[in-house]
Amino acid sequence: MRRNLLEQAKAPDLLQIPINIPTLGREEIKAVYAVLQKGQLTSSASQGGKNVQEFEKSAVSFVKSKFAIAVNSGTAALQAALYALDIKKGDEVLLPSFTFVATANSVVSVGAKPVFVDILKENYTIDPDDLRKKITKKSKAIIPVHLYGNVAFIDQIIEIANRYNLKIIEDAAQSLGSTLKNKHTGTFSDLGCYSLYPAKVVTAGEGGFIVTDNEKLYKKLQMIRNHGMVHGYDTRIIGMNLRMPEINAAIAKVQMKKLGKFLGIRKKNAKILSELISDLDIQIPQERKGEYVNWYLYTIATKNRNKIMKTLNSTGIGATAYYSTPVHKTPFYHKKIRLPNTDWAASSVLSLPVHPQVSEQNLSFISKILHKALN
Ligand SMILES: *Cc1c(COP(=O)(O)O)cnc(C)c1O
């Protein structure tokens, strides 16, 4: 029984090189087992259960924020953050279209209107100049996304936010561990939101968390996570069940201990891959001065992207286009707006595997096939 569990937790056949998979081990299995044995699967107390509290402590100490609130997804984290800032119907929220759809969906879920901003070609994050142009009297908040783990041009975004009196919620779902001048993404603004989905750098199964230095917002978020209640059956503000289950928190708690090691391997893999493919006529991802990237996704930009992706996929390499359909072009949003850099990125980007289970041999293979595909 025990051996079976361990085998299932191991990576699938690495001849197939998936773009991102969770790296789990004996410690996670033990932690889940302990929760089940104890039988305390969740807690409706406003501070959450034991594992939730311990996970929050590890999150706070890692990103160096004052407070963290664990929730049951990254999407829930964004939604809770918008509620906490009283974003509602009639408000506009500025965000990139070049992101995972959850960023925009969370805005719609609180009744506000997403306003799509173009990105910069150099690191695929929100373009401060286009951002400034799209501000109206209704603008209330900006959600910069640290896409692929690349740090958005946050200094300029903060300057704009201050000037126009806008709130900032950082979508740091992909950037846990990324820093600028030694400050963690998610801690530059009022609220930072992270995801613990299995494909992210660390996982809870499903989960997410919000960090803040603002005690008022922290208390409010604890209420929002739990039906807007403080002591139970005393709903004071709008809230929902956004609680993280104890099993998920137990997994996340263990994963946080391994995060530093995971990031080290990702960085090493990214460096090796960059050296192997530096001769190719493609855009290679780079860290700017003062930036530390978590290498959640190693993303190149190239001509003939679809053809190259097909060739890589046919050899078992999980090269993936995040995102070939920007949010404003999905059927639900279908906006006829011009976002030229977003369109360019949507047809050019290709992410290559560098997660902790990718070996040096895998990287050589990826480089070999990529060279073949480009010639
Ligand atoms: C993963 C992700 C989310 C949503 O997180 P979930 O945990 O899947 O709900 C939001 N924004 C971005 C940019 C993401 O990559």
Side-chain angles (χ1 to χ4, degrees), residues 64-79:
K64 298 184 185 76
S65 67
K66 282 204 180 120
F67 308 102
I69 302 94
V71 290
N72 50 30
S73 72
T75 311
L78 288 164
Q79 191 187 28

Side-chain angles (χ1 to χ4, degrees), residues 168-188:
I168 299 175
I169 297 169
E170 284 167 81
D171 184 338
Q174 302 190 358
S175 69
L176 180 58
S178 294
T179 61
L180 186 69
K181 294 174 215 154
N182 291 317
K183 198 169 164 56
H184 279 266
T185 52
T187 66
F188 290 105

Side-chain angles (χ1 to χ4, degrees), residues 141-158:
I142 308 165
I143 310 183
V145 180
H146 302 294
L147 202 75
Y148 308 146
N150 297 337
V151 185
F153 285 80
I154 199 71
D155 293 344
Q156 284 152 270
I157 296 165
I158 290 169

Side-chain angles (χ1 to χ4, degrees), residues 72-78 98-104 145-148 171-175 193-198 200 205-208 296 323:
N72 50 30
S73 72
T75 311
L78 288 164
F98 197 61
T99 179
F100 180 55
V101 72
T103 320
V145 180
H146 302 294
L147 202 75
Y148 308 146
D171 184 338
Q174 302 190 358
S175 69
C193 299
Y194 304 81
S195 166
L196 297 165
Y197 180 72
K200 303 290 159 79
E206 292 276 7
Y296 166 61
Y323 296 91

